[in-house]
Amino acid sequence: MNTVALAVTDGMLHLELAMAYEVFGSAPAGVAGPWYSVVVCGPGPVRAGRFLLEPDHGLDQLPHADTVIVPGWADVDEAPPADLVDAVRAARDAGARVVSLCTGAFVLAAAGLLDGLRATTHWGHTQALAARYPQVKVDPDVLYVDNGSVLTSAGKAAAMDLCLHLVRLDHGSSIANTLARRLVVPPHRDGGQAQFVTTPVPAPDNHPLAELLPWVLERLDQPLTVEDLACKARMSSRNLGRHFRAVTGTTPLQWLLTQRIRHAQELLETTDDTVETIATATGMGTATTLRRHFNRTVGVPPGTYRRTFRSRNRSGPNDSEQHHHHPRAADAAARAVRG
């Protein structure tokens, strides 16, 4: 039997903790052999949000588990408790499979378990993780990373993706799919975190692009160039580039592509327009161009995105987008969308 230990301490996020307990706590129909044995390990009564938990065991029991799961850590600006970090490190040294959910990656990084490995966390904290632990190869694009004995997930719902991935590894796809149906969640999601990240326009203020940015958003269907933007802003192209970098963190063309993709996402979510129509409305010109940029930026084709985010499970009437997943290229446009 695979013993799963949930490593908890004050400041843990209760959503990720509850997800893990729900997935591993009871077997779905069709499981022939033994299921997981779940224990909660902590230093004593633990507060997770508004909930007070009574752990089954102390943190010293983590090395006896087969799998150790570290839920999200609420205050990533503070170093995680030393006793938790030491116990997680000891569990890994004892041969346990160690898993972090959301910002639990900061605990694994503090324990040195992510050194030299790819890892991820919630997209809002990937930069902080990379800055604090430069030896970790932080990948902000994915829902989870499986390094074999050390696994990390992105934020919130991606914790469920990783938990189901573990069930798939341990019990096979059929059982994982049965469990996903019971939980009313997709058994597997295509793409990465960029699907779920919006890039809002900076709040109106006195910056030099305050009038230009709304003007551009009203003309996304038009073939705008850097020269067009510079002319509207009454500045040189070089000066425009400097201001864009200061205000948006990216170049004019990257920002423009981000807004076109974001508008395409909105149309895919809220209309039945074909990909060809959306390509015209977003200034992409052709469906081929939209598909290429959308797939590179968001990580999935437009049709897959629409099926994921529409309230009803159908595509547009003439949308012939294929259902398979295409790998995403990590280009500048993807960085722009992630903000």
Side-chain angles (χ1 to χ4, degrees), residues 3-336:
T3 301
V4 174
L6 305 180
V8 300
T9 190
D10 284 334
M12 286 295 176
L13 299 175
H14 58 274
L15 176 61
E16 290 82 354
L17 176 62
M19 283 183 184
Y21 199 91
E22 181 66 25
V23 168
F24 301 108
S26 58
V31 176
W35 192 241
Y36 303 93
S37 173
V38 179
V39 294
V40 179
C41 298
V46 168
R47 183 165 294 281
R50 292 179 176 270
F51 300 94
L52 187 64
L53 306 176
E54 282 284 352
D56 303 304
H57 304 285
L59 291 172
D60 59 341
Q61 292 300 302
L62 290 185
H64 300 285
D66 300 298
T67 299
V68 172
I69 296 180
V70 183
W73 174 248
D75 193 353
V76 297
D77 293 329
E78 297 291 333
D83 57 349
L84 174 63
V85 172
D86 291 343
V88 169
R89 185 188 300 112
R92 180 69 202 98
D93 290 343
R97 177 174 60 181
V98 180
V99 180
S100 69
L101 306 179
C102 192
T103 50
F106 283 81
V107 177
L108 271 59
L113 304 189
L114 302 180
D115 291 357
L117 299 179
R118 279 179 67 237
T120 194
T121 189
H122 189 287
W123 62 266
H125 301 290
T126 51
Q127 291 185 355
L129 182 65
R132 192 173 308 166
Y133 303 101
Q135 63 273 42
V136 179
K137 301 174 183 177
V138 179
D139 188 342
D141 301 339
V142 295
L143 296 177
Y144 57 82
V145 175
D146 181 350
N147 288 299
S149 58
V150 179
L151 302 91
T152 56
S153 87
K156 302 301 178 184
M160 180 65 76
D161 294 301
L162 180 51
C163 289
L164 289 174
H165 173 68
L166 293 172
V167 173
R168 193 177 300 112
L169 291 174
D170 297 339
H171 294 275
S173 295
S174 178
I175 296 301
N177 293 346
T178 299
L179 179 58
R181 284 194 296 272
R182 190 187 78 186
L183 298 173
V184 198
V185 296
H188 177 76
R189 290 191 296 168
D190 293 320
Q193 296 195 64
Q195 296 180 81
F196 308 95
V197 182
T198 59
T199 307
V201 177
D205 53 29
N206 294 324
H207 65 74
L209 305 181
E211 295 183 4
L212 176 65
L213 300 186
W215 181 87
V216 173
L217 293 179
E218 293 175 357
R219 293 164 176 80
L220 291 177
D221 60 330
Q222 301 178 17
L224 298 172
T225 66
V226 173
E227 289 71 24
D228 294 331
L229 272 60
C231 181
K232 175 63 180 177
R234 299 184 182 88
M235 60 181 68
S236 67
S237 297
R238 178 176 294 183
N239 198 26
L240 178 74
R242 286 197 294 267
H243 285 301
F244 256 91
R245 182 67 68 179
V247 173
T248 71
T250 188
T251 67
L253 285 181
Q254 289 170 347
W255 182 86
L256 180 58
L257 178 60
T258 297
Q259 307 315 311
R260 294 191 194 282
I261 294 296
R262 179 60 191 138
H263 188 36
Q265 289 176 299
E266 293 173 352
L267 294 175
L268 288 166
E269 293 172 22
T270 60
T271 76
D272 287 321
D273 291 349
T274 64
V275 174
E276 289 77 9
T277 299
I278 293 175
T280 300
T282 57
M284 292 291 191
T286 67
T288 299
T289 300
L290 173 59
R291 287 188 176 100
R292 182 175 69 252
H293 286 298
F294 195 96
N295 194 48
R296 288 178 177 174
T297 302
V298 181
V300 294
T304 300
Y305 183 90
R306 168 172 269 163
R307 287 189 298 274
T308 300
F309 285 90
R310 287 301 297 267
S311 59
R312 53 194 185 280
N313 188 25
R314 64 183 178 88
S315 297
N318 298 313
D319 187 356
S320 59
E321 191 72 43
Q322 294 182 347
H323 290 204
H324 61 274
H325 168 62
H326 301 272
R328 175 167 38 159
D331 60 6
R335 290 193 295 274

